[in-house]
Amino acid sequence: ARDNLRAAHPSPHRPLTAPARPAFVVCHDPADAAYGSALAGQLRESGLPVWSTGDLRPGDAHFWTIRQQLRHAVAVVVVMTSPSQDSDDVTRMILEGQVHGRPFVPVLLDGEVNYHLAASWHIDARGGALLGAADLDLLHRLHEDVTRGRPPRLPEPRRRAPAPSVRLTPAAGLERLRAHLAENEYEHADLLTTRLVMESAGRLTEGWLSARDAAAVPRELLAGIDALWARHTHGRQGFRRQLGLAPAGGPRGPGLPELGAVLGWRDTAEAAVPRLYRDFARRAGPGGRAGFYPTLRDPGHENAPDWYDRWSSTVLALHARLREWGD
C-alpha cells in the first residue's frame, strides 16, 4: 500500500472521528512487512489494541482511515530500517502523528534512526528480535496513561552508544519540502522546514536555536526554503513575507508576542499561544493566513516545560539572521 497516503486517494470531507477503539498504529515499509506483521501480532497477543495499513479492507476510504487512526492513536510504532527512510508513506505517517501530538515508539530494526525521530527514545531491535518483556510492559503503561488521559511516560533518549540518525542533504531536504508543498500539506512542510533549519546548525537533536546557532544556518538554505514556500503559496507564506509583515521593534527587532500577533500565531500580543501544535496550526485557516508559515515550532520537542522559551529563542534568533538579507 505504498501510495495509501498520497493525494491520489483523496480524503472524504468528513471529520476524523475517533475509531471504536484507538490503537497502537504500526508503520513500516512494504519491504519490512514480515517484521511489521510479526510485531503487530506480538502486541495483539499481549492484549494491546493494534492497527496497521494491513488492516485496510476493500471499500475503506484509505486516506481518511489512515489519518483517523493516526490522529487518535494510542502511540505510533515506527519500524525504522533503510527502506523506511526513503518511504514517502512512512514519512507522512510520522509527520501526521506528530502534527496531532501522538506519542511515538520507534523500533530500530536496521540502518539509522529516522530523520524525523532523531530526538526520540527508541527500542533497539537491530538483532531482528521482537520486543522484550520490559518493552511490552512500557507499552502497557503507555496504553494506560493515554486511555486515562494522563501525560504519556516515555524514557529519555538513550545517550550511551546512540545509533546514528539519517542526515538529509540540503538538496534532498528541499526536494522533500517541495513535495509536501505541492500536495498542500502545509503542516508537514512546516515540521520539515524546522528540522532542515535545525540540522543545518547541528541542532536537530536539541530542537532550538540561540543567536550563535542561527548564525551558522546557511543563507542559501534559507533562500531555498523561502522560495519554495513563496512559489507554492503564491507569495502568501515564507520568510520574506514574514519579514514584510513584521512590526518595527528597534535594533533587535520585534519580540515574539508582537511578531506572533501579526503573523496569526496568537490573537494579540498579550494572548496565549495554543499549547498543542494541531490547535496552533488550525489558526492558519483553510487558505493559510498570510505569513503564518514557517512557524519553526516542532511538537517533537514541546514536552519540556520551557518549550515556549526555546521556541522564542529560535524564532527571534532566526529572524535576526533573516534581517541580514536587507543589509
Side-chain angles (χ1 to χ4, degrees):
R2 182 171 293 274
D3 294 326
N4 277 334
L5 280 182
R6 293 189 182 279
H9 300 279
S11 176
H13 294 288
R14 54 183 172 128
L16 292 171
T17 54
R21 189 184 185 195
F24 284 86
V25 176
V26 178
C27 306
H28 59 80
D29 185 80
D32 307 311
Y35 184 87
S37 178
L39 177 60
Q42 181 189 31
L43 299 187
R44 287 192 180 98
E45 289 176 6
S46 75
L48 293 170
V50 180
W51 187 91
S52 73
T53 53
D55 295 315
L56 290 167
R57 297 292 179 262
D60 284 348
H62 286 196
F63 191 51
W64 183 90
T65 302
I66 293 169
R67 284 196 147 166
Q68 176 204 39
Q69 291 290 340
L70 288 167
R71 178 169 183 171
H72 298 283
V74 173
V76 184
V77 181
V78 181
V79 178
M80 298 186 295
T81 63
S82 297
S84 75
Q85 302 289 357
D86 298 322
S87 169
D88 289 341
D89 278 354
V90 171
T91 297
R92 284 175 170 82
M93 292 179 81
I94 292 172
L95 291 172
E96 188 70 13
Q98 290 180 335
V99 164
H100 293 292
R102 308 322 300 154
F104 276 78
V105 181
V107 179
L108 181 61
L109 186 58
D110 68 56
E112 299 173 307
V113 172
N114 187 283
Y115 179 79
H116 291 288
L117 300 171
S120 300
W121 164 87
H122 68 271
I123 294 172
D124 193 335
R126 281 178 286 185
L130 293 174
L131 306 191
D135 296 324
L136 289 172
D137 286 344
L138 183 148
L139 266 59
H140 278 278
R141 292 195 301 271
L142 177 59
H143 179 256
E144 183 177 358
D145 286 342
V146 173
T147 55
R148 292 180 179 271
R150 297 193 299 245
R153 294 167 291 173
L154 286 172
E156 292 296 319
R158 291 180 175 133
R159 300 301 181 190
R160 292 182 298 171
S165 63
V166 169
R167 298 185 63 84
L168 280 182
T169 65
L174 290 174
E175 174 55 28
R176 289 191 181 183
L177 179 60
R178 182 206 62 75
H180 290 315
L181 288 169
E183 295 177 4
N184 296 322
E185 293 284 3
Y186 291 172
E187 294 164 352
H188 295 185
D190 190 36
L191 300 188
L192 177 57
T193 294
T194 300
R195 287 161 190 163
L196 289 174
V197 169
M198 295 299 168
E199 182 175 23
S200 72
R203 299 284 291 176
L204 184 61
T205 300
E206 293 77 9
W208 65 281
L209 301 178
S210 66
R212 177 179 296 181
D213 299 324
V217 180
R219 289 192 182 193
E220 296 79 8
L221 176 64
L222 295 174
I225 290 170
D226 178 66
L228 287 172
W229 275 101
R231 182 188 314 155
H232 288 280
T233 63
H234 306 289
R236 291 179 58 80
Q237 308 296 340
F239 292 131
R240 293 184 191 274
R241 186 61 187 268
Q242 291 179 342
L243 290 176
L245 292 170
R252 297 173 64 89
L256 185 61
E258 293 74 24
L259 180 63
V262 298
L263 299 183
W265 296 347
R266 61 209 317 161
D267 291 330
T268 67
E270 294 76 26
V273 174
R275 178 68 178 83
L276 298 178
Y277 178 83
R278 66 170 182 264
D279 298 330
F280 172 75
R282 199 173 292 133
R283 295 184 55 84
R289 174 170 171 162
F292 191 90
Y293 294 112
T295 73
L296 301 174
R297 280 192 64 170
D298 187 343
H301 287 89
E302 292 183 350
N303 290 325
D306 62 346
W307 74 271
Y308 180 87
D309 293 336
R310 295 183 180 191
W311 178 49
S312 178
S313 174
T314 297
V315 171
L316 298 182
L318 193 67
H319 273 249
R321 172 77 163 142
L322 294 169
R323 287 195 297 275
E324 296 174 4
W325 279 345
D327 295 342

